[in-house]
């Protein structure tokens, strides 16, 4: 199975700024995970730097549907709005503190 991280790596290797279309909460979660992994940052490190639990970050990355997210993506689809995520080049781990 090809993951969003695989797509990101391929686009990055080709010199393009990777862009992924987000259609549902699970897509957004995969994009968040791909961006975190591309920077070699653990869930614990990222969650700590943002001031919330690793459990919450894990739920975001899993794309666990919430009422808010489900309704948001329904509205976006109904209005024909496309959401894309672009990844910048990975940064060093110590830059999370910036």
């Amino acid at each position: 199975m090809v993951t969003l991280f695989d797509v990101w790596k391929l686009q990055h290797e080709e010199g393009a700024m990777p862009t992924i279309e987000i259609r549902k909460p699970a897509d957004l979660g995969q994009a968040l995970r791909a961006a975190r992994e591309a920077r070699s940052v653990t869930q614990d490190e990222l969650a700590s730097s943002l001031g919330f639990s690793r459990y919450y970050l894990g739920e975001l990355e899993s794309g666990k549907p919430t009422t808010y997210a489900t309704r948001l993506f329904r509205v976006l689809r109904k209005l024909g709005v496309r959401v894309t995520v672009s990844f910048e080049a990975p940064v060093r781990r110590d830059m999370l503190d910036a």
Side-chain angles (χ1 to χ4, degrees):
M1 180 172 112
V2 176
T3 66
L4 287 177
F5 185 62
D6 296 327
V7 171
W8 180 90
K9 286 192 306 188
L10 179 61
Q11 290 178 349
H12 185 68
E13 289 168 0
E14 294 174 350
M17 177 178 272
T19 302
I20 299 169
E21 186 170 354
I22 305 298
R23 296 185 178 147
K24 57 188 183 275
D27 294 341
L28 184 56
Q30 288 180 17
L32 293 172
R33 181 177 180 182
R36 179 183 55 76
E37 288 179 348
R39 288 159 175 76
S40 300
V41 176
T42 67
Q43 285 184 336
D44 283 327
E45 291 168 330
L46 181 57
S48 177
S49 73
L50 294 169
F52 49 75
S53 72
R54 188 211 54 81
Y55 176 80
Y56 180 74
L57 181 60
E59 287 198 336
L60 288 176
E61 288 186 1
S62 75
K64 182 178 179 180
T66 64
T67 302
Y68 173 80
T70 301
R71 288 179 179 172
L72 173 64
F73 281 96
R74 283 179 59 198
V75 170
L76 293 171
R77 276 192 300 277
K78 187 73 166 180
L79 296 174
V81 175
R82 294 178 63 194
V83 176
T84 58
V85 173
S86 297
F87 295 89
E88 295 178 7
V91 296
R92 294 188 331 260
R93 294 168 64 117
D94 59 350
M95 294 187 75
L96 282 176
D97 299 327

